[in-house]
Structures are given as C-alpha cells and as structure tokens.
Amino acid sequence: MKTEHQSQNLRKGRVSQPYQAYLVTIATRHRYPFFEDHGRARLVGRIMTDLEALGACHNWCYVVMPDHCHWMFSLKQRYSLDQTVRMLKSKTSRLAGLSLWQKGFHDHALRQEADLLPTARYVIANPLRAGLVERVGDYPYWNAAWL
C-alpha cells in the first residue's frame, strides 16, 4: 500500500541520539481535525508535559493544530526518539478513547543550539500563518520553554 510505503520512508535515515534536539510533526489520522475539541487539544499538551516529567525529553515548545502538532524537544537518555513519540501517540489515543494519529511522523534534528529559538518562533507562529488567530497569544494550544 502506498501509505505503508510512505510511512516506511519516514524512518529512513532516522537517528536517535540522547540530548539531541528534534522538531517532530505528527499528523492526525486522515488529517481529521480532532484537536478542534478543547479537551483533546489540551490532552496532547498535558501528555507532552508528563513525558518530560517521566524523563523522556526536555520540551522546548509545541503547538497543537486542529489536524497535527509540532513538538520541539531534546531527548534524554532513557528513551529513543521513536519510543518518545510512540508514548505520546499511544497515551493520547488511549485517554481520548480514539485512534487519533496516522502512522509515522516527520522529524528534523536541530544541529545547532542557535537554531532552537528561531525554530520555536516558527513553530509557535503556525496558528497565525494558518489564519486561526490574529495574534499568537490568542491561540490556546501552545507552550514554550522561554516563557
């Protein structure tokens, strides 16, 4: 199937390194806007926070859009990139009582510390670029370490 093949391609060349910063994009199943629902959107942010408390990662920023999310974090030593994303996807789906996510995810390793803040600004401005709000601060489903 074409979808399986594309999912396989997302894993090619993926490297999971402790303390590496990653920008991950995860789309909802069939790009359905599950996160127009306030409770589900808040759930994703809460689970990201829980994963940081668990020692899986350090969260730099995230934004939960209606049909996808962007999450920038640095891995810790305990879990791999795949395991960390899988924990987010499985726990949010289980708690929401729905299969929320499509297979796979897109990741981009941020090579330099100087890339963190500009990338975070880009991520947080996503709702503004999508026309969901007129000011970034008006969008409720984001957070950043620099606040």
Side-chain angles (χ1 to χ4, degrees):
M1 291 188 164
K2 188 174 183 178
T3 304
E4 282 184 4
H5 184 319
Q6 290 172 343
S7 179
Q8 290 283 346
N9 285 340
L10 291 175
R11 291 187 286 266
K12 285 183 182 176
R14 179 171 290 155
V15 177
S16 182
Q17 296 180 323
Y19 308 108
Q20 174 67 54
Y22 293 93
L23 173 59
V24 171
T25 302
I26 313 167
T28 60
R29 187 173 42 85
H30 306 300
R31 295 298 288 222
Y32 186 81
F34 287 115
F35 304 123
E36 286 179 344
D37 177 272
H38 176 75
R40 288 185 201 132
R42 301 267 309 167
L43 176 65
V44 175
R46 189 178 88 222
I47 301 305
M48 288 175 180
T49 301
D50 290 351
L51 288 171
E52 182 170 29
L54 180 67
C57 61
H58 170 74
N59 291 321
W60 291 108
C61 70
Y62 68 82
V63 64
V64 180
M65 300 293 287
D67 65 352
H68 67 283
C69 73
H70 300 285
W71 182 22
M72 191 172 80
F73 60 90
S74 294
L75 283 174
K76 302 265 179 111
Q77 289 185 316
R78 192 171 186 178
Y79 299 102
S80 71
L81 177 61
D82 287 327
Q83 288 171 319
T84 301
V85 174
R86 189 172 36 245
M87 286 187 291
L88 171 71
K89 291 168 74 171
S90 65
K91 191 163 187 179
T92 53
S93 288
R94 188 170 18 91
L95 292 174
L98 296 165
S99 177
L100 297 172
W101 306 102
Q102 75 177 20
K103 288 184 177 183
F105 60 93
H106 180 268
D107 66 284
H108 174 75
L110 301 171
R111 303 287 179 214
Q112 299 177 14
E113 190 172 322
D115 294 336
L116 292 177
L117 190 55
T119 303
R121 286 183 177 137
Y122 179 82
V123 167
I124 299 307
N126 204 310
L128 188 65
R129 286 190 306 277
L132 299 176
V133 291
E134 291 184 20
R135 293 178 332 124
V136 170
D138 293 339
Y139 194 74
Y141 312 121
W142 67 277
N143 200 357
W146 295 272
L147 294 178

